[in-house]
Amino acid sequence: MSRAARIPNLGGAKAFVLHRPHTTVQAITRQLSAIGLEAAECWPHLPTEALAADFVFFDADLGFDEQFPWKRGEAPMPLVALIGSEAPGRIEWALSHNADAQLLKPVGTAGVYSALLIARQSFEARKRLAGEIASLRQRVGERQTIVRAVAALSKGSDDDRAYAQLRSLAMSWQISVEEAARRIVAMTQAEDGDDQSHRA
């Protein structure tokens, strides 16, 4: 059985509401204030200080890419889409920005707190997954480097002996096998470059 997610304390957090002046903005800022968040309204662009915000609410109906000071889908904080129109193009645009939660307009007297919690959890899960993917890619890259180093050391003969030699070099250099493999590959590439320059 998995442990239940702990509800974070949101007091003192800062949220930007990127929406034209409207009663929706007033409803959101009232709820944010009641929860203990500091709210800042802006339109039509997010100011650079929004990069340090804990949350951003944005208008999915009239929003456009240039409003954000980051690349599409690379927000450094959880995003909450404010959706009034369910036009497929607008929903698709909000999703392309990796909206972590949504609030349907008109916003009433409730909904902001749950949107904040869902957005925070979704954002953290996405960040964790991106970190795991980056780590796996790095490991795959390191394995390919080890294969290249073993091939360079074996010169087409015994791969097992070449791998043992790589491990021995790593121990004598007091570095990891991966780092030793990077060194071997770099030396091999340098030698290949020298050979080509001599031939020229």
Side-chain angles (χ1 to χ4, degrees):
M1 186 171 118
S2 64
R3 199 172 60 120
R6 200 172 139 269
I7 301 295
N9 178 9
L10 300 175
K14 174 128 189 193
F16 276 80
V17 183
L18 180 61
H19 195 288
R20 68 200 183 286
H22 193 270
T23 53
T24 289
V25 178
Q26 295 164 12
I28 292 168
T29 54
R30 269 196 307 271
Q31 289 184 57
L32 288 170
S33 178
I35 296 165
L37 278 80
E38 183 187 341
E41 302 173 28
C42 52
W43 186 260
H45 295 93
L46 277 172
T48 51
E49 59 264 28
L51 288 166
D54 298 289
F55 297 92
V56 169
F57 291 75
F58 69 95
D59 185 8
D61 300 331
L62 297 177
F64 51 95
D65 291 346
E66 293 74 22
Q67 289 182 296
F68 303 102
W70 53 74
K71 290 181 183 172
R72 185 189 285 211
E74 295 182 11
M77 77 287 290
L79 299 180
V80 179
L82 302 169
I83 300 173
S85 164
E86 293 188 319
R90 291 279 81 198
I91 303 289
E92 188 177 328
W93 180 80
L95 290 173
S96 76
H97 280 276
N98 286 336
D100 298 292
Q102 68 171 24
L103 263 177
L104 294 179
K105 297 190 285 182
V107 176
T109 57
V112 168
Y113 184 64
S114 59
L116 289 170
L117 296 181
I118 290 166
R120 167 76 60 84
Q121 187 163 344
S122 174
F123 178 76
E124 293 299 334
R126 190 158 37 82
K127 261 185 22 185
R128 208 166 34 248
L129 183 60
E132 288 170 12
I133 290 169
S135 174
L136 287 171
R137 283 184 176 149
Q138 182 183 357
R139 285 169 56 193
V140 167
E142 286 174 347
R143 287 192 180 151
Q144 289 171 343
T145 303
I146 290 171
V147 168
R148 288 170 63 196
V150 167
L153 290 169
S154 72
K155 305 267 194 242
S157 58
D158 187 353
D159 286 348
D160 290 336
R161 186 176 294 166
Y163 183 69
Q165 184 184 357
L166 176 64
R167 288 181 58 197
S168 176
L169 285 168
M171 283 191 282
S172 67
W173 292 338
Q174 296 184 341
I175 57 175
S176 68
V177 172
E178 293 81 6
E179 180 58 34
R182 283 193 286 274
R183 284 190 189 180
I184 297 295
V185 169
M187 286 189 281
T188 305
Q189 288 171 341
E191 286 170 10
D192 290 347
D194 287 344
D195 288 346
Q196 286 173 5
S197 64
H198 288 318
R199 286 194 204 109

